[in-house]
Amino acid sequence: MSNQTVAVIGSGGREHAIIKAIKKSPLVSKIYCLPGNGGIAADAECVNIGVMETQKIVDFCKDKAIDFVVVAPDDPLAAGTVDALNEAGFKCFGPKKNAAIIESSKSFSKDLMKKYNIPTAAYEVFTESAKAIDYLKTREMPIVIKADGLALGKGVIIAQTLDEAIEVVKEMMDGGKFGASGTKVVIEEFMTGPEVSVLSFTDGNVVIPMISSMDHKRAHDNDEGLNTGGMGTVAPNPYYTEEVAKECMEKIFIPTIKAMNAEGRTFKGCLYFGLMITPKGPKVVEYNCRFGDPETQVVLPLLESDLFKIMVATADGTLADTEVKFSDKSACCVIYATKGYPEKYEKGLPMELPETDEFIKKYNEDAKATGISPISDALIYVAGAKKAEDGSLLSNGGRVLGVTTVADTLKEAIAASYALTKEVKFDGGFYRNDIGARALKALS
Ligand code: AMP
Ligand code: GLY
């Protein structure tokens, strides 16, 4: 296996991180990204085919004799892109439609966990608002209400009072707030405790957890503001101790892989465990059928093994024989978003990115002078940008950049990521100033 041509489906910071990692493989000679973006274009050839244009994706892969396809986002996975590609003879990273349902239907995943005794919040599923409201009246507040289908991470509401909960159920089920995704709702117990994201590689036989990470979902400092797709991440997550990891492996990771096999829905690819470390032990908040965004932007820079080889092994069922090794360093990713995100924001705003190689050099010279340890990597992942005619970058989305560094300790990675963030020129943007602060506190 050498001289491989790879196609990555997707267009965000996660895809950029995947591409930068695959690019390091000596086995890979060419990477396409469908559709990619103006920033990804520096690392892969971007092709203007949308992630949901399944037939065009298949035709493109035939035309270019693609060796391996990475399907990164949830929507095409849920729609069966891997099935279509497999049928046309292409090997893929990512689950088939019947396994992607672990993310695309919350009622499916909750029922799976109940059936196989995998720890999660107590819940009920409803398709009629009157029954849901009767149930709410018997529960303690706060309570969590979730639209069943994919809602871009925004279909989860934590209601503090009964009145608020009833209002949310009416809006979702009768008011069409989340379209078809909201006609079925899951109502579940409110859990407390720190959250941990654990992405894993699995070929359906074995499951290999990647280094743990912590997302920051709210838009503003101190966890204020609206929920977003994620405003920053750190890895590893200090709440994910060895003891917690062991318990997760025994009670959650292996049972989930076995459960999916038992249901005839073997999962291959990246299975993402969204966990809460509750006073009663770790419980599953959600599963995702793919790499998390922006978790990928801190997890993959810490991967020392060949990502491409690992991805192929998940498809071939040879993961047990494949090296998956992470460094013992730390990473921090600060998301630079457009002002107004996650609500209304402008597009087409100018920005200028610093050269990361120069940044590393200068940072490490200064570090030597001041006695702090040097950083080992700096990466700017582009999530939402397009190229202007003069070749400069213009913003083209809510989350625009993921500014990541890798250092010996979390404290140093956080400091370096903010130093690099300050070198970005993007007047129309904003970022949180406290990414990793909670993790640092847990370490002290
Ligand atoms: P989800 O899309 O299911 O991951 O939910 C989004 C966010 O809502 C999670 O990351 C949690 O912060 C929060 N959340 C979801 N379910 C619960 C729960 N049962 N108890 C407390 N918080 C929750
Ligand atoms: N960062 C959470 C997700 O990718 O869904």
Side-chain angles (χ1 to χ4, degrees):
M1 192 170 60
S2 66
N3 230 2
Q4 299 282 294
T5 302
V6 182
V8 176
I9 314 299
S11 64
R14 164 184 54 204
E15 286 74 13
H16 200 183
I18 291 171
I19 287 166
K20 274 189 184 286
I22 291 179
K23 220 178 155 179
K24 291 197 278 186
S25 172
L27 304 175
V28 174
S29 56
K30 173 84 190 171
I31 307 176
Y32 292 97
C33 189
L34 285 57
N37 69 47
I40 291 177
D43 291 293
E45 184 174 334
C46 295
V47 181
N48 195 13
I49 294 177
V51 301
M52 297 303 280
E53 294 184 293
T54 315
Q55 193 52 50
K56 282 193 185 167
I57 293 172
V58 172
D59 291 344
F60 174 83
C61 291
K62 283 183 184 160
D63 187 38
K64 299 289 179 192
I66 298 292
D67 297 300
F68 193 74
V69 188
V70 179
V71 184
D74 45 344
D75 280 334
L77 288 166
T81 303
V82 169
D83 306 57
L85 284 163
N86 284 167
E87 274 158 33
F90 296 101
K91 211 184 261 190
C92 298
F93 179 80
K96 288 190 178 182
K97 181 177 178 169
N98 76 348
I101 191 174
I102 199 164
E103 169 170 4
S104 60
S105 167
K106 290 206 187 279
S107 56
F108 170 84
S109 67
K110 294 297 291 190
D111 290 346
L112 184 86
M113 288 185 270
K114 191 185 265 182
K115 184 169 170 189
Y116 294 92
N117 278 319
I118 297 166
T120 188
Y123 74 101
E124 291 293 333
V125 181
F126 295 94
T127 49
E128 285 172 49
S129 59
K131 288 199 174 140
I133 290 167
D134 284 345
Y135 176 74
L136 284 174
K137 288 178 183 160
T138 68
R139 309 307 295 173
E140 278 179 29
M141 299 297 133
I143 197 149
V144 184
I145 302 163
K146 300 184 176 184
D148 182 53
L150 297 174
L152 291 172
K154 292 172 197 126
V156 175
I157 309 272
I158 297 170
Q160 299 296 333
T161 65
L162 180 61
D163 284 349
E164 193 188 338
I166 292 174
E167 198 55 37
V168 169
V169 161
K170 281 186 181 159
E171 266 182 22
M172 270 193 196
M173 303 187 79
D174 304 330
K177 190 163 180 192
F178 294 97
S181 285
T183 49
K184 201 188 227 185
V185 302
V186 173
I187 298 180
E188 68 176 38
E189 164 204 6
F190 177 73
M191 301 186 288
T192 55
E195 289 187 58
V196 179
S197 305
V198 179
L199 321 186
S200 70
F201 293 111
T202 177
D203 60 357
N205 303 309
V206 294
V207 54
I208 304 183
M210 298 180 222
I211 200 159
S212 61
S213 55
M214 184 192 279
D215 195 1
H216 296 69
K217 287 201 165 129
R218 299 295 196 98
H220 302 295
D221 289 4
N222 303 315
D223 289 329
E224 284 170 13
L226 294 171
N227 251 326
T228 69
M231 290 299 293
T233 35
V234 292
N237 184 325
Y239 291 102
Y240 193 69
T241 59
E242 262 178 45
E243 196 188 340
V244 171
K246 191 163 169 277
E247 195 174 348
C248 287
M249 194 65 178
E250 283 167 12
K251 296 189 179 156
I252 297 174
F253 304 161
I254 294 172
T256 301
I257 300 304
K258 284 191 175 160
M260 290 298 276
N261 285 338
E263 295 293 311
R265 296 174 183 274
T266 295
F267 191 102
K268 294 181 174 205
C270 172
L271 183 53
Y272 166 131
F273 300 91
L275 307 167
M276 199 173 269
I277 315 303
T278 77
K280 289 187 195 150
K283 293 190 182 183
V284 176
V285 179
E286 65 164 346
Y287 293 113
N288 289 328
C289 66
R290 51 170 173 89
F291 275 102
D293 190 336
E295 285 89 345
T296 310
Q297 291 91 313
V298 286
V299 169
L300 291 185
L302 296 172
L303 178 66
E304 290 181 335
S305 311
D306 185 323
L307 177 64
F308 178 71
K309 265 193 197 166
I310 299 169
M311 286 182 153
V312 172
T314 65
D316 288 346
T318 54
L319 198 53
D321 309 321
T322 306
E323 182 198 77
V324 182
K325 197 166 161 265
F326 284 87
S327 90
D328 56 9
K329 295 184 192 292
S330 296
C332 171
C333 171
V334 177
I335 297 293
Y336 221 133
T338 312
K339 280 177 193 157
Y341 173 77
E343 293 186 286
K344 260 203 163 131
Y345 56 83
E346 275 185 69
K347 286 185 180 178
L349 304 171
M351 64 178 143
E352 238 178 88
L353 311 187
E355 278 295 332
T356 46
D357 286 346
E358 272 170 37
F359 173 82
I360 296 172
K361 201 167 148 235
K362 171 129 194 346
Y363 192 89
N364 286 346
E365 278 166 13
D366 291 351
K368 216 181 210 171
T370 54
I372 62 168
S373 48
I375 55 169
S376 34
D377 213 351
L379 305 128
I380 299 182
Y381 298 119
V382 181
K386 61 183 178 199
K387 266 210 177 116
E389 269 173 24
D390 64 1
S392 66
L393 278 183
L394 301 174
S395 72
N396 195 31
R399 292 187 298 170
V400 176
L401 304 171
V403 182
T404 301
T405 65
V406 177
D408 286 350
T409 66
L410 186 58
K411 194 171 171 207
E412 288 162 340
I414 293 168
S417 289
Y418 277 107
L420 180 55
T421 303
K422 291 194 174 84
E423 304 265 312
V424 173
K425 290 194 190 120
F426 179 27
D427 287 343
F430 78 101
Y431 51 86
R432 274 180 65 159
N433 295 288
D434 62 346
I435 299 305
R438 187 173 180 196
L440 272 189
K441 227 171 158 185
L443 287 171
S444 65

